[in-house]
Amino acid sequence: MKIDSKLYVDYLQNAYQLIHENEKYVTDLDLATGDGDHWSNLNKGFAALVAMEDELRSMPLDQMFMKIGMTMMATIGGSSGVLYGGAYMAASKTLKGKDHMEAADLQLVLAAMLKDIQSRGKAERGFKTMIDALAPAVDAFKEGLDQGLSDHELLAQVKEASLEGAEATKTMEAVRGRATYQADKGVGHLDPGAVTMSYQISTLCDTIAKTIE
Ligand code: ADP
Ligand code: MG
């Protein structure tokens, strides 16, 4: 696989579309365990990115990631704005001098995002957060690379891991985020941030898969 700035911006557009279509679903999830703003926060951030698509497409990968991070930090707000903003800025450091990403580069990008989110949010897997959709995807990506899977198999495995990870938050007790304020710690509800993380990872995999024969 070969992912350049242009393809990454195609992904941002596709992710924006999926997020945009799921206003009620995601808002209801955040109303059940949080304050109901997660969808509008994230939607605002992706709208801002799509509005600057021409500029992003023309940038080297590392600068584009830095710009995406700064834009997310400034527009999304809430916990997720800081976490996504920081994650993109951390990932940008892995992309210096690269005009495109191969599979292994993308795995490093996602691993750098995971590390930054974990340290910034002082959270680990199992805490019922966005991490629960990202960490299994990072692991599945690494395992798939080690197993020598084809690009299609690899992308399918990463996508599946993130969707299953989001699904698994339903039975978790929250240790971070607003769901910790609920008497039931959110048990029985999916974590909205994990669901939207799985939207992003699955859309990324789908967008890349379409470019491979
Ligand atoms: P806020 O909770 O400030 O209203 P959002 O509604 O934008 O922020 O985002 C909520 C999501 O952010 C949660 O569903 C959870 O996935 C994620 N989140 C919250 N706190 C943390 C944390 N400390 N570490 C990782 N993810 C977190
Ligand atoms: Mg919220």
Side-chain angles (χ1 to χ4, degrees), residues 30-192:
D30 197 33
L31 281 172
T33 60
D35 56 357
D37 63 351
H38 181 63
W39 178 85
S40 71
N41 289 346
L42 201 63
N43 187 64
K44 213 175 343 134
F46 273 84
L49 294 173
V50 166
M52 54 171 69
E53 61 157 315
D54 291 338
E55 184 188 355
L56 293 174
R57 276 180 205 277
S58 69
M59 295 175 110
L61 271 179
D62 65 329
Q63 287 177 32
M64 183 194 71
F65 264 63
M66 190 56 83
K67 185 84 188 176
I68 293 172
M70 284 160 51
T71 304
M72 284 182 150
M73 186 118 18
T75 57
I76 297 180
S79 314
S80 39
V82 181
L83 296 171
Y84 275 107
Y88 268 92
M89 290 185 204
S92 113
K93 298 197 180 83
T94 71
L95 294 169
K96 284 218 166 30
K98 291 192 175 130
D99 64 358
H100 71 275
M101 293 182 260
E102 312 263 347
D105 302 312
L106 182 58
Q107 197 275 336
L108 287 179
V109 158
L110 294 176
M113 288 180 160
L114 172 61
K115 193 166 168 233
D116 193 78
I117 292 173
Q118 286 185 311
S119 65
R120 208 174 289 266
K122 300 185 174 44
E124 289 166 32
R125 50 189 91 194
F127 283 16
K128 199 181 183 85
T129 71
M130 57 171 79
I131 290 169
D132 294 304
L134 175 58
V138 169
D139 288 351
F141 210 143
K142 181 76 177 63
E143 283 158 22
L145 286 170
D146 292 346
Q147 290 161 3
L149 296 186
S150 73
D151 283 348
H152 273 299
E153 290 167 335
L154 185 58
L155 292 165
Q157 180 163 302
V158 172
K159 173 178 175 172
E160 192 55 35
S162 114
L163 292 171
E164 278 174 13
E167 196 56 42
T169 62
K170 193 162 195 169
T171 54
M172 290 178 188
E173 277 188 21
V175 185
R176 287 286 180 276
R178 292 185 193 274
T180 56
Y181 306 142
Q182 306 282 329
D184 61 3
K185 307 282 180 207
V187 172
H189 301 283
L190 292 168
D191 174 61

Side-chain angles (χ1 to χ4, degrees), residues 9-27 29 38-40 42-44 46-47 50 84 159 162-163 166 192 194-207 210:
V9 175
D10 288 346
Y11 147 68
L12 292 174
Q13 288 180 309
N14 293 338
Y16 176 52
Q17 195 181 330
L18 182 61
I19 290 163
H20 199 76
E21 284 166 359
N22 283 279
E23 172 173 5
K24 183 164 172 14
Y25 181 65
V26 175
T27 300
L29 289 178
H38 181 63
W39 178 85
S40 71
L42 201 63
N43 187 64
K44 213 175 343 134
F46 273 84
V50 166
Y84 275 107
K159 173 178 175 172
S162 114
L163 292 171
V195 169
T196 57
M197 175 65 83
S198 76
Y199 284 175
Q200 290 166 76
I201 294 172
S202 54
T203 305
L204 180 60
C205 292
D206 288 345
T207 304
K210 280 205 191 99

